[in-house]
Amino acid sequence: MRQLLLCVFVFSLSFASVYADDVYKNDRARWMKIAEATRPVLKYQTLKPLLTVKAVKDDNAFQGWRYEQSGDPQTELYGKNFKDVEEITLDFGRHMVGYFKFHTKTLRGCQDAPIRLKFFFGELPAELNTPLDPWKGWLSRAWMQDEIVTVTQVDQWIEIPRRMAARYLKIELMGSSQDFDFAIDDVEFRAQSSAGEVLTTLRPTCPDIVRNINNVGVETLRECMQTVYEDGPKRDRRLWIGDMYLESLANRHSFKNNELTKHCLYLFAGLAAEDGILISNCFEEPEPHPQYGSYCLTYCLLWNSTLLEYLKDTNDMETANDLWKVAKRQTEDALTYVNDEGLFDQSRRPGVWLFFDWRDGLDVNTPMQGATIFALQQTYELAKMIGREKEVADYPAIIKKMSQAARKYMYNQKRGVMESGVDRQVSILSQTWLIKAGVLSKKEGAHAIRTALQTDGVLMPGTPYATHYLIDAMLLCDMNQEARQYLIDYWGSMVQKGADTFWEAYDPKDDFISPYTFFPVNSACHAWSCTPVYFIHKYSDVFQK
């Protein structure tokens, strides 16, 4: 039995007393027991490499590299003296998350010295063919999946203890004795996921490109469905609220594993800060714990939306009522930023993290106005479904006041677009979040999106995460054909560039875009990129005909 109750007391590392003023002190232990009870069981599959491949520099390939087949593992690896091979790259044919092991075999002589091998696992060809050092990224170099293994005893299986996320594996010989020969005569990857079987189907009329986008989206979600909805199985291997929300939407139309959503909701509730505010991300190992101090208000509010959607999917009134106090607390916190004019005012509590996209220069004032209104609407809808609307009876009036303030101070009626900040920035996200909030009518929203897309210098989304909300807004405005084409152009171009899972950051005009100043550290399988699955199934008349 995992010692989950320890997580309740881990806060003592940061606070002198244990929950002296903890708003959830009577609930944490029980919530964590529910989280443990709903923790999914992983399913495993043993995979072998399909091909040996050779890297080819190609300016027309994604990020300048592609692989072409050079042989097969049976003849190019298993039967050869690895001192003659020296270096080889294996293609497993699909993205995998799990553990790798290999077997060595003596071919000649007696091992009189260790063997040193380098294993480099990669999701994309460029990742394995771009020099990493000196390191240029601002995230840790240790996220890269290269490991040096010293083999002191041949003729046995050796497992690399670190979990990997990859399709390709490069093996290099770094050192061995002249007096004996050896082979790597078997390798295997034990892939894992909690996803199970896909429980939805596509119409026979579904176009091939849409079918391919859906399939890649499903594989992206499958790889990120571990014991939590992981952010990225290669990097940032943890549970983030924003990713959980989008993954749960895609899960609804694929694996339908609602217990995983419940598990994640309870984890966040049980690991919230003492003042009741959710922490943006958490880990399960070695014991469940949050990343202390990581407060992201936009993500806190999306937790409420996740709970609402979970209730709609399951009719689990018990869970919704049990966690209601957490949802209410998040909107109470958001309202402390709203001034007397009905505007979200970040200066009331400077320094708050408001994440909408990895895009430099994005002004978040207008998107945050919309996100707050949307969260109040979602929370009020949740309250009505569970008979708690009296507890938030003032929300409709606040929503009206904030909506009027948005139109008064943020809407350029002459141009028909939402603007943000003192420089009156026009961004796609300013339009999408005010559409989601219902501040703009369908007609106004459609005009705003079309105008923004045609505006010189408009700030475009830089990730599939932000692009999700653009597609969502288009569909809310009945821009069905434009939404369909945008989804095909955006996610479909990733498929055409070789994606077997969807990427964390993507700009069709910039293959090297990276939030971290160095593209190899990007995740090529990222949770927030899986949502075409949601759109393709929810709006089947739009996308599957």
Side-chain angles (χ1 to χ4, degrees):
M1 177 69 181
R2 292 162 56 86
Q3 299 175 356
L4 279 174
L5 295 183
L6 289 177
C7 70
V8 178
F9 299 101
V10 78
F11 285 86
S12 62
L13 298 173
S14 302
F15 301 97
S17 60
V18 180
Y19 304 126
D21 301 309
D22 183 3
V23 298
Y24 302 142
K25 62 184 177 182
N26 297 323
D27 300 296
R28 286 189 191 272
R30 180 176 54 80
W31 284 348
M32 294 308 295
K33 286 182 179 178
I34 295 173
E36 171 64 9
T38 52
R39 189 174 191 264
V41 175
L42 293 172
K43 303 167 182 65
Y44 299 94
Q45 181 183 9
T46 299
L47 300 172
K48 300 282 189 177
L50 303 180
L51 305 170
T52 60
V53 291
K54 180 177 68 175
V56 178
K57 181 68 174 171
D58 183 349
D59 291 340
N60 294 318
F62 181 64
Q63 297 177 338
W65 289 94
R66 62 179 173 84
Y67 280 125
E68 62 180 29
Q69 181 177 352
S70 59
D72 66 85
Q74 196 66 41
T75 56
E76 299 298 319
L77 175 63
Y78 299 152
K80 287 192 172 182
N81 179 3
F82 199 74
K83 289 160 65 175
D84 294 333
V85 176
E86 291 188 333
E87 179 183 311
I88 195 167
T89 301
L90 306 174
D91 180 359
F92 285 80
R94 50 156 282 194
H95 192 280
M96 312 167 295
V97 177
Y99 294 87
F100 172 79
K101 66 179 182 179
F102 64 100
H103 191 272
T104 55
K105 176 183 179 181
T106 301
L107 297 179
R108 178 189 66 83
C110 175
Q111 182 179 9
D112 63 343
I115 303 164
R116 180 158 291 182
L117 300 167
K118 181 178 181 179
F119 296 83
F120 192 176
F121 298 82
E123 296 177 305
L124 294 170
E127 183 181 350
L128 289 173
N129 292 283
T130 301
L132 300 182
D133 300 305
W135 183 245
K136 305 179 187 69
W138 64 264
L139 291 182
S140 172
R141 164 71 171 80
W143 281 119
M144 302 309 294
Q145 300 178 112
D146 50 335
E147 299 287 331
I148 294 174
V149 177
T150 300
V151 180
T152 57
Q153 180 61 57
V154 190
D155 299 304
Q156 64 177 355
W157 283 96
I158 298 174
E159 181 171 286
I160 295 178
R162 177 183 172 187
R163 202 193 76 183
M164 302 295 180
R167 172 175 173 170
Y168 304 103
L169 167 61
K170 181 193 292 186
I171 310 174
E172 301 175 16
L173 178 63
M174 299 184 69
S176 65
S177 168
Q178 301 179 35
D179 296 327
F180 76 100
D181 298 331
F182 74 98
I184 297 176
D185 65 332
D186 205 356
V187 301
E188 64 182 39
F189 198 100
R190 190 172 186 239
Q192 64 181 49
S193 170
S194 64
E197 297 298 318
V198 175
L199 300 178
T200 57
T201 57
L202 297 172
R203 296 181 182 184
T205 56
C206 185
D208 287 344
I209 182 59
V210 175
R211 189 177 299 274
N212 290 338
I213 292 169
N214 180 77
N215 292 342
V216 174
V218 166
E219 289 307 305
T220 306
L221 178 60
R222 183 196 306 277
E223 297 293 85
C224 294
M225 287 176 67
Q226 299 296 322
T227 52
V228 294
Y229 285 122
E230 283 194 9
D231 181 44
K234 166 193 165 183
R235 202 216 67 250
D236 239 17
R237 293 163 42 179
R238 69 192 82 170
L239 171 64
W240 286 84
I241 296 174
D243 297 83
M244 173 186 71
Y245 173 55
L246 296 189
E247 285 178 276
S248 68
L249 295 178
N251 173 54
R252 166 191 293 169
H253 295 288
S254 53
F255 303 106
K256 300 186 178 183
N257 185 349
N258 295 317
E259 282 289 282
L260 179 58
T261 306
K262 182 177 179 178
H263 172 67
C264 295
L265 286 166
Y266 270 103
L267 270 179
F268 277 121
L271 298 173
E274 287 191 333
D275 62 0
I277 305 305
L278 294 166
I279 298 176
S280 66
N281 68 97
C282 64
F283 303 82
E284 285 202 297
E285 302 296 342
E287 295 294 337
H289 63 282
Q291 185 177 19
Y292 300 105
S294 181
Y295 166 56
C296 179
L297 177 56
T298 49
Y299 277 15
C300 291
L301 297 177
L302 286 174
W303 187 92
N304 293 17
S305 296
T306 309
L307 180 60
L308 172 62
E309 298 299 335
Y310 169 80
L311 177 59
K312 290 178 179 178
D313 286 340
T314 64
N315 199 32
D316 183 355
M317 301 292 287
E318 182 179 1
T319 292
N321 274 286
D322 192 21
L323 296 178
W324 163 248
K325 65 179 69 175
V326 182
K328 184 182 176 186
R329 182 71 188 93
Q330 308 317 303
T331 45
E332 288 173 346
D333 179 57
L335 287 173
T336 64
Y337 294 87
V338 179
N339 65 23
D340 293 340
E341 293 179 301
L343 292 172
F344 185 92
D345 185 356
Q346 192 173 350
S347 68
R348 287 193 156 204
R349 284 164 59 187
V352 62
W353 183 23
L354 304 175
F355 179 80
F356 289 92
D357 190 20
W358 287 121
R359 180 63 91 177
D360 291 340
L362 175 67
D363 189 284
V364 299
N365 284 282
T366 297
M368 195 61 219
Q369 184 82 2
T372 305
I373 297 169
F374 177 71
L376 293 171
Q377 293 167 335
Q378 295 264 286
T379 306
Y380 190 70
E381 182 180 354
L382 174 64
K384 289 194 296 183
M385 289 182 69
I386 61 176
R388 302 278 194 129
E389 62 266 37
K390 289 183 179 180
E391 297 180 36
V392 289
D394 57 338
Y395 280 16
I398 297 172
I399 291 166
K400 182 178 180 180
K401 183 175 183 179
M402 292 189 70
S403 299
Q404 290 173 341
R407 293 188 70 91
K408 179 178 180 180
Y409 294 104
M410 298 170 174
Y411 188 44
N412 185 325
Q413 195 162 5
K414 183 177 181 180
R415 296 182 63 196
V417 294
M418 283 291 173
E419 298 172 337
S420 188
V422 294
D423 294 328
R424 312 301 294 177
Q425 181 189 84
V426 177
S427 71
I428 295 300
L429 286 171
S430 287
Q431 319 312 313
T432 61
W433 278 101
L434 271 297
I435 290 167
K436 284 185 67 63
V439 172
L440 297 178
S441 68
K442 289 185 177 183
K443 183 178 179 180
E444 290 172 330
H447 176 80
I449 290 175
R450 290 174 183 137
T451 301
L453 288 173
Q454 295 170 7
T455 298
D456 291 340
V458 64
L459 210 64
M460 295 293 293
T463 61
Y465 177 77
T467 304
H468 164 90
Y469 292 105
L470 171 57
I471 302 293
D472 193 17
M474 285 179 166
L475 292 164
L476 290 172
C477 294
D478 293 335
M479 298 172 64
N480 293 346
Q481 292 310 307
E482 286 153 291
R484 172 192 172 99
Q485 194 58 52
Y486 205 100
L487 183 144
I488 289 172
D489 289 346
Y490 187 79
W491 276 277
S493 65
M494 278 191 264
V495 174
Q496 291 167 353
K497 291 177 180 179
D500 50 7
T501 53
F502 286 128
W503 307 327
E504 173 185 15
Y506 181 61
D507 181 340
K509 298 179 181 178
D510 180 6
D511 284 353
F512 299 94
I513 187 173
S514 175
Y516 318 113
T517 69
F518 192 40
F519 71 90
V521 78
N522 290 5
S523 170
C525 176
H526 212 75
W528 68 25
S529 306
C530 70
T531 54
V533 176
Y534 164 72
F535 292 125
I536 290 167
H537 288 271
K538 181 176 181 179
Y539 300 94
S540 59
D541 286 344
V542 175
F543 294 100
Q544 294 190 41
K545 286 187 176 180

